[in-house]
Amino acid sequence: PPLDRGGSLELRLVADETPHAGPVLPSDGAQVANGVDWSRRVYAPRLYVDELSLLGKHALPLSSDVGKEPPRLRLRLLPISLGRYRATRQLHTALGALQAASGMEAEFDELRELLSEKRLYRFALMQLIGLLHVVFDALAFRNDVGFWKGREDLRGLSSRGVIFNAGSTLVIFLYLLDGDGVNSIVLATYAFSTALELWKLTKVVAMRRRARGAAG
């Protein structure tokens, strides 16, 4: 396996005290032992290299100069629960199969980095913040629709303000739509917000027409 820039390699020890009938789980084929003494009916715990955290962009080429000092390697031994080990094993197998089928090594390297232990919690926090943002936006949209749905006149409202909000929201949405790498949640939120502002604009136009007709 490749070495990262810091020369570190993570070894994972499956911390599981549950006695199993064999070194491989029959449910998903996960290996839970490194060696089995069948005469004593004991086995050594599973110890493996965490290849999910090894990224291709961190690999360093080996020098052809044999007289050069060999690279230093720092080993980190970290425990892992059986459930998490089985989940990461299935994830690693799925990513490997998809990478082999697509041939997009760089893209899957970024995906492995995103799902690594150092960034997984940050990724989960970002998803939670995005979910809360959607919930609060939905509540705000609901109140806004309820306020405008039953209105028959423009008392207490500024038609110019509604026109300005609709225009600015439409410009921002078109800018986001034309950009690359925009979060889909943000894009969907602005799409709904733009539709709502345009709907309010039609309500304002209809109210002004009715006010002019009543005045005439």
Side-chain angles (χ1 to χ4, degrees), residues 26 32 43 53 59 63 89 95 129 131 140 143 148-149 190 204-205:
V32 293
Y43 58 85
S53 60
S63 175
R89 175 183 173 274
L95 290 178
I129 293 175
L131 179 61
N143 292 334
W148 280 89
K149 191 174 181 181
Y190 263 96
V204 168
V205 172

Side-chain angles (χ1 to χ4, degrees), residues 91-112:
L91 177 62
H92 183 267
T93 303
L95 290 178
L98 291 175
Q99 180 178 343
S102 62
M104 297 185 296
E105 183 177 354
E107 288 76 5
F108 280 92
D109 207 43
E110 295 178 359
L111 182 58
R112 280 195 298 269

Side-chain angles (χ1 to χ4, degrees), residues 50-62:
D50 186 9
E51 296 185 0
L52 192 62
S53 60
L54 297 177
L55 306 177
K57 67 178 183 179
H58 291 164
L60 298 177
L62 293 176

Side-chain angles (χ1 to χ4, degrees), residues 10-113:
E10 291 186 358
L11 300 177
R12 294 284 184 172
L13 179 66
V14 180
D16 177 42
E17 298 181 358
T18 304
H20 300 282
V24 178
L25 297 181
S27 57
D28 57 359
Q31 184 178 351
V32 293
N34 273 17
V36 181
D37 187 348
W38 293 105
S39 60
R40 298 172 54 194
R41 299 194 62 81
V42 294
Y43 58 85
R46 172 68 170 152
L47 181 67
Y48 68 99
V49 177
D50 186 9
E51 296 185 0
L52 192 62
S53 60
L54 297 177
L55 306 177
K57 67 178 183 179
H58 291 164
L60 298 177
L62 293 176
S63 175
S64 58
D65 185 6
V66 294
K68 193 174 182 180
E69 183 181 358
R72 296 183 179 181
L73 177 63
R74 184 177 71 250
L75 297 179
R76 298 179 59 196
L77 180 60
L78 302 172
I80 186 173
S81 64
L82 179 61
R84 185 177 174 186
Y85 160 64
R86 297 170 69 178
T88 54
R89 175 183 173 274
Q90 294 178 0
L91 177 62
H92 183 267
T93 303
L95 290 178
L98 291 175
Q99 180 178 343
S102 62
M104 297 185 296
E105 183 177 354
E107 288 76 5
F108 280 92
D109 207 43
E110 295 178 359
L111 182 58
R112 280 195 298 269
E113 184 178 13

